[in-house]
Amino acid sequence: MATSPLTAASAPVAARGRRRRVAAFVALTKPRIIELLLVTTVPVMFLAERGVPSLWLVLATLVGGILSAGAANTFNSVYDRDIDRLMHRTSSRPMVTGEVTVTEAMVFGGVLTVASTVWFALVVNVLSAVLSVLAIALYAVGYTVLLKRRTSQNIVWGGVAGCMPTLIGWSAVTGTVGWPALVLFLVIFFWTPPHYWPLSMAFREDYATAEVPMLPVERGPVAVGRQVVAYSWVMVATSLALVPVASMGWVYTVTAVVAGALFVAEAHRLLAAARRGLTGTALKPMRLFHYSITYVTLVFLAVAVDPLLHLALR
């Protein structure tokens, strides 16, 4: 039977519509944030194994991590849809544009939560499943609902959820949570404020408009700069604590020292610019934000490579 011209013409339109719907649901999960979380998961697995872990286990942990982080970010997107509408940086998100309804998003987030938990429990181990659920709860409830709109220290304590992949990666290999994993947990904990506050400085007006009390909204550039510097020093010191705790070699040690020194130098540059009276884009806060991503990538890459080569310090 012949296909009518109208039906044939509508097929590409329908296909594009389906692709847009899929893209909208993917956007709810905030893939760029997930990428950063996975960067801190896999290297810890190499360290826990003291070599190359089972590739199937790595893949299984990544799948579970993607589902778990996607669930947390979806719930965050639902709850924050009102303030996302007010901020230029987030005004095109699917919950704002109406491409996805609240009910659809909640169901999607619920399905991802169940899927990630069951996947971790059956394919990886129960401890990883428990840590995954805890991470979702910390981000979706602890940070998004309880902290984000109530305190300028929101990202400090809310950032605990972003530290969980270090524990999940270690537990996936060992079935426990060891001291090296806890040290790396703290590295991410102290890294989060000097990573996120420069971004908040760059988009200060957005957060002020939405009445979100990020530290750069509540305090001036000099006060923020001081805290960025303080957290940067503590972060670097914590990263070096991994050397004796996990018997790290030259590869990790040199990387942590050099990458950390650059991070601290950039933090001090930001503070110095603030003390000169510079504000807004003149501070160039995004320089530190972008470098912070490079920093965590380099340090955790060294975490993975060091046990493979292990050029001992002595």
Side-chain angles (χ1 to χ4, degrees), residues 205-217:
E205 295 307 316
D206 265 3
Y207 286 109
T209 300
E211 299 183 351
V212 178
M214 301 303 296
L215 187 64
V217 174

Side-chain angles (χ1 to χ4, degrees), residues 13-306:
V13 176
R16 284 196 297 272
R18 286 192 295 271
R19 285 196 294 271
R20 286 194 62 179
R21 285 280 287 170
V22 171
F25 279 97
V26 171
L28 284 178
T29 67
K30 302 179 183 179
R32 293 186 67 180
I33 295 178
I34 292 177
E35 290 174 11
L36 195 57
L37 295 176
L38 298 182
V39 163
T40 62
T41 303
V42 177
V44 178
M45 298 179 72
F46 277 71
L47 181 59
E49 185 67 33
R50 283 289 169 181
V52 180
S54 160
L55 296 181
W56 163 245
L57 181 60
V58 171
L59 178 61
T61 305
L62 287 178
V63 169
I66 290 170
L67 295 173
S68 178
N73 290 330
T74 296
F75 292 133
N76 171 268
S77 295
V78 174
Y79 191 81
D80 278 354
R81 65 190 185 281
D82 57 335
I83 59 176
D84 282 347
R85 183 176 291 107
L86 301 174
M87 299 194 292
H88 181 266
R89 184 173 64 91
T90 57
S91 59
S92 61
R93 287 179 174 172
M95 295 303 302
V96 176
T97 62
E99 292 175 273
V100 181
T101 68
V102 172
T103 300
E104 289 173 333
M106 289 299 291
V107 170
F108 182 58
V111 169
L112 290 178
T113 299
V114 172
S116 63
T117 305
V118 172
W119 176 269
F120 269 124
L122 296 182
V123 182
V124 183
N125 58 48
V126 173
L127 178 57
S128 296
V130 171
L131 292 171
S132 170
V133 173
L134 181 58
I136 295 171
L138 285 170
Y139 188 71
V141 180
Y143 170 65
T144 302
V145 177
L146 300 179
L147 295 172
K148 185 172 183 178
R149 307 187 193 203
R150 288 179 170 85
T151 171
S152 61
Q153 295 297 303
N154 48 20
I155 199 63
V156 177
W157 301 107
V160 169
C163 308
M164 296 301 289
T166 59
L167 306 186
I168 292 172
W170 187 276
S171 67
V173 173
T174 67
T176 63
V177 173
W179 284 109
L182 291 172
V183 171
L184 291 170
F185 176 99
L186 290 174
V187 170
I188 298 300
F189 178 80
F190 293 120
W191 167 86
T192 301
H195 162 69
Y196 203 86
W197 281 334
L199 178 69
S200 304
M201 294 174 84
F203 292 95
R204 181 188 179 282
E205 295 307 316
D206 265 3
Y207 286 109
T209 300
E211 299 183 351
V212 178
M214 301 303 296
L215 187 64
V217 174
E218 301 291 297
R219 305 288 298 277
V222 173
V224 177
R226 288 196 189 105
Q227 292 213 34
V228 166
V229 167
Y231 274 98
S232 298
W233 276 103
V234 175
M235 175 198 71
V236 173
T238 304
S239 72
L240 294 177
L242 186 67
V243 176
V245 168
S247 301
M248 305 302 283
W250 280 104
V251 172
Y252 175 81
T253 304
V254 171
T255 302
V257 168
V258 173
L262 291 173
F263 197 115
V264 168
E266 187 60 30
H268 278 280
R269 180 208 63 79
L270 181 65
L271 176 58
R275 283 174 169 163
R276 292 198 304 272
L278 299 180
T279 59
T281 56
L283 284 168
K284 298 181 180 179
M286 293 302 285
R287 274 182 44 172
L288 180 53
F289 172 76
H290 290 305
Y291 177 69
S292 68
I293 297 173
T294 301
Y295 168 83
V296 81
T297 302
L298 289 174
V299 168
F300 275 80
L301 179 61
V303 167
V305 173
D306 192 274

